[in-house]
Structure formats: C-alpha cells, structure tokens
Amino acid sequence: MSIKGGCLKDEGNERFQAGELDKAIECYTKAIKLCKDKKVLAVIYRNRSACFLKKESYTNAASDASKAIDVDATDVKALFRRSQALEKLGKLDMAFKDVQRCSTIEPKNKTFLETLRRLGAEIQAKTTFSTDSRVQNMFDILLDEEMDKDKKEKAANNLVVLAREDAGAERIFQNNGVPLLLDMLETGKVEMVLAAIRTFAGMCTGHKARTMAIIHLVGIDKLCSIMAVDNEDIALATSDLFQCINDSLTGGDRRTYGKEEALVLDASKDLKSILLALLEMVASKKVSGHGRDQALNLLCRNVPRKDKKDHDHSKSLFTIDHGLKKILKVCGQIPDLPDQLPMTENTQLIASVLLDKLWDDLRCDPERDHYREVCDEYIKGKFDPNDMDRNIHAINALSGLLQGPFEVGNQLVGRQGIMEMMVALCGSEREVDQMVAVEALIHSSTKMSRASFIITNGVSLLKDIYKKTKNEKIKIRALVGLCKLGSAGGDDYSMRQFAEGSTEKLAKQCRKWLCNSAMDTKTRKWAIEGLAYLTQDADVKDDFVEDEPAMKAMFELAKSKDKTILYAVACTLVNCTNSYEKKEIMPELIQLAKFSKQHVPEQHPKDKKDFIQKRVKRLLKGGVISALTVMVKADNLLLTDQTKEMLARVFLALADDAKDRGTICAHGGGKALIPLALEGSAIGKIRASHALAKIAAVSNPEIAFPGERIYEVVRPLVSLLHPERDGVQNYEALLSLTNLAGLNDKLRVKILKEKALPEIEQYMFEDHDHIRQAATECMCNLVTCKEVQDRYLEDGNDRLKLLVLMCAEDDEKLQRAAAGALAMLTAAQKKLCTKMTLTLQWLEILQRLILHDQPQIQHRGLVIVYNILNSDDNELAKKLIESEILEILTVIGKAMDNPKRQLVIDVARTCLVKAMDLELVYFNRPHVINGNPIGAISADAIS
C-alpha cells in the first residue's frame, strides 16, 4: 500500500471517531482506489461498512462487509457487521448464519450468543406466523363457495405442500382442517380427493398422536371406501396414506411423550382394525381392481417380518387365520366367468406373492402344517362334481399356490384326484376349463421330477389340445406347456426332451404370436413364458436375437402396465446372455464320470463365448437397455428379489465389453443399476454392484450417474472391496472408486464415510500387481482429505514407509501412483517430509524418481524435493542439497525449454530458487532461472 493510501486510511479512522461519517467514507473510498494489499484492503472495506451501518445504508454496509469476508472468511468484525446489516434488511436467515459463524469462532462472546438467541426466536416467530397465515388463506379459498374451480384446486394442492412440514401439518390440524379435508373427499372430484388424501398423508407422517387422532376423526372404513374406488391414482394415494399411518404407529415417530404415552398412545387396537379392514377388502366385490391391488400391496409390505431375527410374527399368524382363504379366493377367480371379483392384470400375481411371503414368515412345522391344512380345506371344499365353475376355481387357486409357496402347491397337486381333475378339465368342451387346466399343468411342472411325470402322462394331452383347439388363447397356453416340458433338461445339450428341431419349431410359433399385435397383451405374455423356457436351448437363443421384430415386441411388452410379465422377460434375457450361474467342473471329474459311465453335461456349440458376445450386441442394438430401465421401476412386490437378481445378471453380461458401456449409460442403464445394487438378494446386489464398477471405471461418472445419484454409487462399489469378493470385482471397484475420488471433495468424504479406507490400504499390500496398483491410485486421489493425512501422521505404523518403498518399484504405474500420493501428502503436511526420512533408502529412491525417463514420475519426484525444501526443516533441506540431488537439479534446470518436459524443467528451477532463498547454494555468474536472474549454481553447497 502506498504512503498516501495509508494516510487516507488513518484519516478515515480519525473522521469516524469524530462522528464525521461522510468524510470518513470519502477517505476510505480514496484509500481503496490506491490500496493493492488485499489484507489492508479488507480492513478498509470493513471500516467503511461500519460507516454505512451508522448512516443506516444497510445494502452498502452488507456489500462492503462481504468484500472483507471474501479476503478473510474468519474476519469476525466483518461477519458481525454484515449480520447487523442483513437483519435490518429483513434477511433474518442470512443474518443468523453470519452470527452463528461468529459464535463458532468466538464461542465465549456474550454479544454473539445473545444476538444468536434473539434472531433464532424472531425467525421461529416469523415462520409460525407465516405458516399460520398461509394455512388460513388456503382455508378461506376452499370455504368460499363463489371461488372458481382452478383457484380451489391450487389452494388444495398448496395444503399438500404445507402438510409436508411439521409446522404446517400442525397448523392444519389445530385450525380444524380435518372437517374441511373430509368435505373435500365428499366432493368426489378427483383433484380435490387426491389433495385431501395427500394432505392427510403429510399430517400423519412421523407424528403418532396426530395420526391416532386423524384415524378416529376420519375412520378406517372411510379410508378403505376411498381406496376401493375405481381410480388408480386415488387408490395409490390412499395406499400411501395407510403406509404413513402404519409407519407412524409402529415406530416412525421419534417424539418423547412422557408418562402418558403408554396410556394415551397405545396403537395396537388401531393397527389390528386396519389389518382386519384390509383383509375384508381383499375378497370384497365392492372393491375395484386397483383398490384390491393396493390392499394386497399393504399386506405384503407390513404383515411379514422385515427382519427374520425379530421373533414376533403374530401379524402373519393372524393373517393366516383371518385372511388366507380370502387370498386364495382372489387366486381362484376366473376373469372370463361372470360374477367374479374386479381385478387388474396384476392382482392374482400379487396375491401369490403375499401367499409366498406369509409361508416364508412361518417359524416351525406346526405353523406350516396349519397353513397347508387351511389351503387343503379350501381347495377340497370347492370341488363339486355337479358344478364345473367351482372345480376350475379350485384348480386356479392351486395355480396361485404353485406361483407362490410352490412347496405347498406341489404337495396338493400330488393328492389323489387333483391331477385327474386337471386331465378331465383338459378334455372338457368348455374353453375356459381347458385354459385353467393347461395353466395349472404349466405351473405344476416347475420341478424336473414333476416334469418327468407330466412328460409321461400329459405331453400327448397337451399336443391334442394344441392341434384340435381353434381358440388362440388355449393354443398358446398348450404350447407353453410343451415348451416348459421340452426344456426340462436345462442347457444340457445331451438331455433334450424332444426330438431334434422340435424346440426350434415351438420357439418359432411363440415368436409369431409375440409379434401379433392384434392379440391381447395377456395372451402374448404367454408367448414370452414359452420363450423363457425354450431359450435354454442355444439354437433358440440365436434364432430369437436374430428375429428383430420379436425381440422388440418383447421389449415393448416389458414396458407395458402388465407387470406379471417381468419374470418371464428376465428369464429370457438371462438365457440369451448366458448370465445364469454356471458351476465350473474340473476336467478330471469329467473324465472320471465318463469312465464310470455317469451323465456328463454337454455344452452346446453356440453357448461358447463368441456366440454369447454376438447375442449381447444384438440385444443392445434392439433396445434392451430402455426395456430394463422401465422394468427396474416396477413395484417392488412384482419385481421380486429373484427377478432383480436376474436383471442384475443381464446388466453385468451387457457391460462385459468396455465399448458397450457408453451405450448402457446413454440409455439410463447406470441409473437403473443403483436400486438393484442397494436392494435385493445378496447375489443380485453383488452382480449389480459389479456392473456399476465396470461402468464407473471407464466412463465419466458425472454423465453415467447425473446429479445426486453419483453419491449413491459409492456404497455398492465399497461393498465389492470385501475379502469374499473375487479379484476382478476388487480390481474394478478400486478403479471406479479412483475415478470417483478424482472428481470432488464431497465424493472423497462419502468414500471415507462408507469406511472404504481400511480396505483400500489392505489392497495396497496385495500380491496381485494390478490390484495393488489400483489401490495405490485410489489412495493417491484420497490423500487430499484431512482424515487420510492424519492416518499418515499417526505414529506406530508403516503407511508412509510403504508409499516411499513403492516409489522404488519397477512397475511404472504403481511408481507413478505412489509418488503422486507422496507428493500431495508432503505438500499438505510438512511433518511428513521429516517422517519419510525414517525410511533408510529414502534419498536413493528420491534420486531415482527425479532421474526417471517418464516425465510424470520425474515431475512427482521433483515436487517431493520442493516440499522437503519448503518444509521448514533446515537440517533436512541442507542434507538434501549436500547430496547428488543438487547436481541433478542443476542439470534439469539448465536444460533448454522443451514443451514435452517443460513442467519438469520449471519445477527443477523452482527448487533451485528455493535453495537459493534458503542460502543453501551460491552462484558464480549471472544466470536466469524461472525468469529470475541468479548466478550459475555451484556444485558445492554452502556449509
């Protein structure tokens, strides 16, 4: 700063003390124009800010204080002055943040603490008043009978937004909002009903007492009647409300209510009433298909235990006693017959899923025996020689069991008279009887032992139906039965059930039906069911991927509303990509099996790697990724863990070739993989995580996983570092984490929070060169974090020593990563410069780095040299210059400018300038390094 500028600043201070504010501002303004020192400039701005505060020019005061804070973020005076100005401008939230920072810097300052308390109270009062007035405004609009429809709908939707905040929800409740919301429900207008339901959901979220009050004011029966209406959006919204109620009553509320809680807030009766009401909805004719689906969904989500370690499964036992027969009734419905329950295309599959979940939740044999007895009693009770409708109802209920708890259904199929009934129905003149019987045969032949029985007894029957019937719906089901039986040998080429070429003919017919858009979706779905079995044959796989119209037709059906198709599509894709589990058989065991004349599975010639790769390319070209992304978004109950696992396997197979990963990302595959990696079976999550690792390792993560999704990728990748994962998974996870860690601090902190650091350190000791290199590269990108630096500063470990020794490795990639990590660590923590010298060979290793022929490695070595010279350890710097390193620096620094090595030359020159500043070298004649005239460097250091 010039002398004149300093005088003006001092004069401004004197004018301020004298109360001459305008003249003080004038002096400070002139001083600002002359001042070039940032720190002094900040002080002048801060002083002028005080003048503006006194003059009540609050905008200028805040602006000047901000300029001072830009130079020094911890300037308490500037922060407090800006807080005072912002408060006067009415920006209480911003003022509160500034004074909060002041109190953090000076926690004992009473002025700051008092201001903090006062502003906090004012903000709270303002928020409460604001919320109260907004709620009242919405009420006034909704209660005004002359108000137009659009304004009322807008006000109703504003209530939904207000109810999402606890303050807004409480205001609505306290201001008698429940009667108003009930009036909105009575209007019958979809928009108003949806707004009322969603407002109730907000009010019930996380507040047990308010939830119980709303239940008693509105009534469970009323809510069930709303969910029963034939409107998908209203049914879904009411289902969400019931879920909010359940969550709040079962532990979603963390408030402390004191001694009265046990007496006043006992929710067990309400929960039992809700459960009984939902079970009544399951089999009620008054309930729409959408309402029935949501009732079944709620039972699936909330009845079975989420954690099998929890011993209380009383809700499942209660549901079996009071609702199992009602669920079986849904499974037994025949949509083609009159007087059936209203259903959607997904209802019966959801019912089967619920049956399976209830069975899986049982803990002992007596409970399972009781479950079987209830099912057996229900199905036997439906059989009637004089009423064919009751018989097909029983068989259809059995099909529901076979699609759910197969063990129960399979046992019932084996009972005397059941299989005979199926055969009799197949020969019936009524097409609906044939259709139900064929479906039951298909479902009952899931196990190979059962398939063998049906091959013996039922293939001819299915063939007769297929040939004779003119009804396409029955024909396609009979074909699927034949497809399923024909694939009983799996992918074992030597165990084909049918004659050569038969499976290809069946598949061709399935593809023909699949492409027939004139047929209804449910019928075409059965064509995919057939392909799901037949594509175990490699000839069928090849034919299918070559048939582009059939492939695209399947993808379009996968995107349809009928989600019962998901499993069949997933099976077909797993077969086409050969991504199913395949056990490796030792060649010695094969020879032994042949010698002992045992069966040896044979691989089809078209199941070899080159054929699989061609099929993958065809699927990608056909649009498989867009279909998969839609499938992943399906409701969790229909997208079972098994289906998720298959989709994860398909994604992993599709991502095998690095060239295809860009295509996967471009169609949203990266985003679709995240939920598969976070939820599902253990194997499914691993496969999805591995696919994510493959994508993140070679793609730009910010493009592959846009927005906040990029942070969700970290946990699945860290899970692959577990010692039980294989080497390829470890390696690709480390590569992808390296890629993420190189992006920003927030991602690096996320990686550390997921406790990845110990695992990464462990892999730095790995014997496998590639894994060790990947772990070191990952560490190189993480060392900018303070937490990592602290681990290297700790005493009693060899972390730093390991890095120094890695710099001497022959593997150039490993050497480069280790040198990079060491360079950043020694730059960030000067103490580490001294600590690295505890490694005996440190000087020789450093010389080797700065003599390296690779510029990147040489540059890292020179940065380490500079960090040592800049470490404030004069003895260490002197030791460095007394070694041969000075001569090496001199040679590099004197080199002619070279664009390819300029970075290296510049750092060497900077090191020499630093050595000169430390007076460790002297110069004989003028020379220019880094634009600074210095002497020619003597080979001798100053002693």
Side-chain angles (χ1 to χ4, degrees):
M1 183 177 179
S2 67
I3 296 171
K4 188 176 179 181
C7 292
L8 285 167
K9 173 179 168 288
D10 293 339
E11 185 184 345
N13 293 345
E14 290 171 7
R15 297 284 190 184
F16 179 78
Q17 294 295 333
E20 299 172 2
L21 298 177
D22 289 332
K23 290 183 178 179
I25 290 170
E26 189 179 335
C27 290
Y28 289 139
T29 304
K30 290 177 181 177
I32 286 168
K33 292 177 181 177
L34 295 171
C35 183
K36 292 184 180 178
D37 186 317
K38 282 187 177 181
K39 290 185 178 178
V40 177
L41 194 61
V43 173
I44 300 170
Y45 273 121
R46 187 178 70 198
N47 292 351
R48 194 172 72 171
S49 173
C51 295
F52 283 130
L53 266 177
K54 291 271 188 182
K55 283 179 64 64
E56 298 183 4
S57 178
Y58 300 120
T59 303
N60 289 330
S63 176
D64 275 5
S66 295
K67 288 170 183 173
I69 293 163
D70 288 342
V71 176
D72 181 4
T74 60
D75 188 334
V76 176
K77 288 183 179 179
L79 281 166
F80 190 60
R81 281 171 193 166
R82 186 169 72 176
S83 172
Q84 290 174 303
L86 290 169
E87 182 184 354
K88 295 294 184 182
L89 290 168
K91 299 177 180 179
L92 296 182
D93 289 347
M94 295 169 70
F96 183 83
K97 287 179 182 177
D98 277 349
V99 80
Q100 197 172 38
R101 286 167 68 186
C102 291
S103 63
T104 304
I105 297 165
E106 293 184 15
K108 294 182 180 179
N109 189 309
K110 291 182 180 178
T111 303
F112 296 158
L113 294 173
E114 176 58 29
T115 307
L116 196 65
R117 185 199 61 75
R118 180 173 54 76
L119 285 175
E122 287 180 22
I123 290 167
Q124 181 65 36
K126 186 179 178 182
T127 303
T128 303
F129 175 76
S130 174
T131 302
D132 201 9
S133 61
R134 283 157 64 200
V135 168
Q136 193 57 51
N137 286 341
M138 297 309 111
F139 281 10
D140 292 343
I141 293 169
L142 290 166
L143 291 168
D144 187 347
E145 293 181 2
E146 295 180 3
M147 192 65 67
D148 64 64
K149 177 188 171 186
D150 290 343
K151 285 187 178 179
K152 280 196 169 189
E153 286 184 1
K154 189 175 181 181
N157 287 322
N158 285 340
L159 274 185
V160 177
V161 176
L162 286 165
R164 288 173 186 157
E165 297 293 330
D166 191 58
E170 189 62 23
R171 283 297 94 205
I172 295 169
F173 183 74
Q174 294 294 345
N175 291 8
N176 291 322
V178 174
L180 176 64
L181 294 171
L182 284 170
D183 288 342
M184 288 166 62
L185 291 176
E186 293 301 325
T187 63
K189 296 173 184 176
V190 174
E191 285 300 320
M192 299 300 278
V193 172
L194 283 172
I197 291 294
R198 288 165 182 164
T199 304
F200 275 130
M203 293 166 70
C204 290
T205 301
H207 199 299
K208 190 174 183 179
R210 194 162 58 223
T211 299
M212 291 180 70
I214 288 169
I215 289 171
H216 294 145
L217 287 168
V218 178
I220 293 167
D221 290 341
K222 177 68 176 175
L223 293 176
C224 288
S225 68
I226 296 165
M227 192 163 77
V229 301
D230 192 14
N231 182 294
E232 188 174 2
D233 291 334
I234 291 175
L236 182 58
T238 315
S239 174
D240 290 339
L241 169 56
F242 268 119
Q243 191 61 51
C244 291
I245 290 170
N246 181 81
D247 292 346
S248 291
L249 298 185
T250 57
D253 185 2
R254 295 287 180 261
R255 288 170 179 76
T256 304
Y257 290 98
K259 294 178 181 177
E260 297 177 3
E261 181 173 9
L263 295 173
V264 181
L265 300 180
D266 180 11
S268 58
K269 288 183 180 178
D270 288 331
L271 287 167
K272 186 177 179 180
S273 298
I274 291 170
L275 180 53
L276 281 169
L278 291 174
L279 290 172
E280 282 300 316
M281 286 187 72
V282 166
S284 171
K285 286 188 178 180
K286 296 178 181 178
V287 177
S288 69
H290 297 300
R292 200 177 320 281
D293 283 2
Q294 295 308 327
L296 290 165
N297 278 334
L298 285 164
L299 292 168
C300 284
R301 286 196 201 104
N302 301 304
V303 171
R305 291 167 294 167
K306 291 179 176 66
D307 184 356
K308 292 293 185 283
K309 292 177 183 177
D310 179 8
H311 295 298
D312 182 14
H313 66 318
S314 56
K315 285 189 286 186
S316 289
L317 297 177
F318 183 87
T319 303
I320 290 166
D321 288 339
H322 294 83
L324 184 55
K325 289 184 178 180
K326 292 172 182 174
I327 302 165
L328 288 169
K329 182 179 178 180
V330 173
C331 291
Q333 297 299 296
I334 315 292
D336 294 337
L337 292 180
D339 200 29
Q340 300 294 297
L341 297 176
M343 295 189 301
T344 70
E345 61 271 12
N346 299 321
T347 306
Q348 288 180 304
L349 183 59
I350 299 172
S352 291
V353 170
L354 177 55
L355 289 171
D356 190 45
K357 284 180 176 286
L358 291 171
W359 171 258
D360 192 46
D361 202 40
L362 300 178
R363 293 174 55 196
C364 59
D365 288 342
E367 290 173 357
R368 296 185 186 95
D369 290 340
H370 174 62
Y371 186 104
R372 288 192 197 94
E373 285 166 10
V374 174
C375 295
D376 193 20
E377 183 185 329
Y378 180 83
I379 289 170
K380 278 184 179 176
K382 290 295 177 183
F383 281 132
D384 185 345
N386 302 317
D387 190 341
M388 196 58 77
D389 287 356
R390 287 175 62 85
N391 291 335
I392 60 173
H393 178 96
I395 295 299
N396 217 36
L398 185 57
S399 287
L401 282 167
L402 289 164
Q403 291 176 83
F406 181 82
E407 183 183 334
V408 179
N410 196 36
Q411 194 171 7
L412 292 175
V413 169
R415 295 281 171 90
Q416 187 175 0
I418 300 287
M419 189 60 74
E420 288 79 2
M421 177 59 72
M422 290 186 194
V423 172
L425 288 171
C426 285
S428 170
E429 292 181 2
R430 282 205 315 176
E431 291 178 341
V432 68
D433 298 343
Q434 293 179 29
M435 194 155 56
V436 170
V438 171
E439 284 186 22
L441 279 172
I442 292 167
H443 296 311
S444 63
S445 60
T446 297
K447 297 289 183 185
M448 192 171 171
S449 58
R450 178 64 57 188
S452 302
F453 172 80
I454 295 173
I455 285 170
T456 307
N457 297 279
V459 170
S460 57
L461 190 64
L462 289 170
K463 283 182 177 178
D464 285 344
I465 293 172
Y466 178 70
K467 289 175 183 176
K468 292 176 182 177
T469 185
K470 293 180 181 178
N471 187 318
E472 293 287 299
K473 293 181 180 180
I474 298 172
K475 203 177 189 74
I476 196 168
R477 285 164 172 77
L479 179 67
V480 172
L482 291 170
C483 292
K484 191 170 185 180
L485 298 172
S487 63
D491 66 343
D492 185 349
Y493 187 49
S494 63
M495 285 192 67
R496 291 187 167 197
Q497 299 292 330
F498 294 159
E500 186 78 31
S502 295
T503 51
E504 287 92 322
K505 288 178 182 176
L506 291 172
K508 187 176 180 181
Q509 185 59 52
C510 282
R511 297 202 307 274
K512 182 181 174 183
W513 271 318
L514 180 59
C515 294
N516 186 355
S517 56
M519 296 179 77
D520 64 279
T521 302
K522 192 171 182 181
T523 305
R524 291 170 71 201
K525 179 195 82 171
W526 282 98
I528 302 176
E529 291 275 359
L531 289 169
Y533 300 115
L534 293 176
T535 47
Q536 293 181 63
D537 184 294
D539 288 317
V540 175
K541 299 176 198 181
D542 260 28
D543 291 344
F544 176 67
V545 297
E546 291 297 326
D547 188 343
E548 193 171 332
M551 193 165 52
K552 288 189 174 180
M554 185 179 81
F555 296 156
E556 286 305 312
L557 281 174
K559 299 174 188 177
S560 69
K561 281 190 174 183
D562 186 353
K563 299 304 177 186
T564 59
I565 207 167
L566 296 177
Y567 186 79
V569 174
C571 281
T572 305
L573 292 173
V574 164
N575 291 337
C576 289
T577 56
N578 282 51
S579 49
Y580 41 76
E581 202 72 49
K582 194 78 176 172
K583 290 184 179 179
E584 292 292 328
I585 304 174
M586 293 171 61
E588 294 84 354
L589 289 177
I590 294 174
Q591 293 301 321
L592 184 63
K594 286 180 178 178
F595 180 75
S596 58
K597 297 183 179 179
Q598 297 296 316
H599 171 69
V600 179
E602 292 179 23
Q603 185 186 42
H604 194 290
K606 290 185 179 179
D607 273 333
K608 291 181 179 176
K609 191 171 183 179
D610 53 340
F611 282 95
I612 297 169
Q613 288 172 341
K614 286 177 185 175
R615 289 200 290 269
V616 164
K617 302 289 182 189
R618 294 286 301 177
L619 286 167
L620 285 167
K621 188 179 176 183
V624 68
I625 299 298
S626 60
L628 288 170
T629 54
V630 173
M631 291 168 73
V632 168
K633 294 174 186 174
D635 188 283
N636 265 346
L637 294 172
L638 296 174
L639 189 67
T640 61
D641 286 353
Q642 192 176 0
T643 307
K644 287 180 188 175
E645 182 181 321
M646 288 193 288
L647 295 179
R649 289 177 182 277
V650 173
F651 267 119
L652 183 57
L654 296 172
D656 189 56
D657 188 343
K659 294 175 185 175
D660 296 328
R661 294 171 198 170
T663 305
I664 294 171
C665 293
H667 291 89
K671 290 185 289 184
L673 272 166
I674 295 172
L676 294 178
L678 295 173
E679 296 175 0
S681 67
I683 294 173
K685 289 191 285 187
I686 292 167
R687 297 290 181 271
S689 298
H690 193 187
L692 280 174
K694 284 181 178 291
I695 291 168
V698 299
S699 309
N700 180 345
E702 291 174 309
I703 295 173
F705 316 105
E708 292 298 307
R709 291 185 183 276
I710 195 168
Y711 300 101
E712 296 177 46
V713 177
V714 174
R715 183 174 295 172
L717 297 178
V718 172
S719 71
L720 294 179
L721 299 181
H722 195 279
E724 289 184 5
R725 306 287 88 82
D726 64 45
V728 175
Q729 291 168 345
N730 298 155
Y731 175 67
E732 291 183 326
L734 287 166
L735 287 182
S736 52
L737 286 170
T738 302
N739 210 357
L740 291 174
L743 290 176
N744 58 54
D745 281 333
K746 195 174 174 183
L747 272 168
R748 287 189 280 272
V749 169
K750 176 68 175 172
I751 291 168
L752 298 181
K753 279 186 177 177
E754 294 295 337
K755 300 178 181 176
L757 196 55
E759 304 290 351
I760 295 166
E761 285 182 335
Q762 178 186 328
Y763 287 115
M764 288 172 71
F765 292 93
E766 181 67 40
D767 289 335
H768 196 288
D769 291 342
H770 286 86
I771 293 177
R772 190 152 59 112
Q773 170 211 320
T776 309
E777 287 176 347
C778 190
M779 184 61 72
C780 180
N781 281 356
L782 289 172
V783 293
T784 55
C785 291
K786 183 71 167 55
E787 185 182 331
V788 180
Q789 294 166 15
D790 290 342
R791 287 173 76 91
Y792 278 91
L793 283 167
E794 290 171 4
D795 294 327
N797 66 73
D798 292 329
R799 291 189 181 95
L800 193 67
K801 183 179 179 180
L802 174 67
L803 270 185
V804 176
L805 293 173
M806 280 181 170
C807 292
E809 291 281 348
D810 292 331
D811 184 336
E812 288 186 355
K813 289 183 179 178
L814 178 61
Q815 197 177 14
R816 184 177 63 202
L822 194 58
M824 286 189 280
L825 282 168
T826 50
Q829 299 290 341
K830 293 181 179 181
K831 290 179 182 178
L832 292 177
C833 294
T834 306
K835 189 175 180 180
M836 71 172 278
T837 62
L838 298 176
T839 307
L840 293 176
Q841 307 94 338
W842 73 274
L843 200 54
E844 291 85 345
I845 292 169
L846 197 52
Q847 288 175 11
R848 182 176 174 181
L849 287 177
I850 63 176
L851 286 169
H852 207 284
D853 56 359
Q854 286 290 331
Q856 286 186 322
I857 296 173
Q858 192 178 19
H859 173 254
R860 285 162 167 75
L862 288 165
V863 170
I864 296 168
V865 170
Y866 177 79
N867 292 341
I868 293 171
L869 292 171
N870 195 42
S871 66
D872 302 333
D873 188 336
N874 290 334
E875 286 300 316
L876 180 57
K878 183 179 177 183
K879 184 176 180 181
L880 194 70
I881 294 301
E882 286 174 349
S883 71
E884 293 177 5
I885 283 180
L886 176 60
E887 189 176 343
I888 299 167
L889 291 173
T890 306
V891 172
I892 299 170
K894 281 184 175 181
M896 297 290 291
D897 286 354
N898 180 346
K900 291 182 180 179
R901 303 184 67 87
Q902 196 59 45
L903 198 60
V904 170
I905 295 166
D906 287 345
V907 178
R909 291 172 179 173
T910 305
C911 290
L912 292 169
V913 171
K914 185 65 182 178
M916 180 190 73
D917 292 344
L918 294 170
E919 298 181 351
L920 296 174
V921 293
Y922 64 91
F923 309 99
N924 294 329
R925 59 186 174 79
H927 192 73
V928 175
I929 292 180
N930 237 11
N932 299 311
I934 61 173
I937 298 141
S938 169
D940 298 321
I942 295 174
S943 60

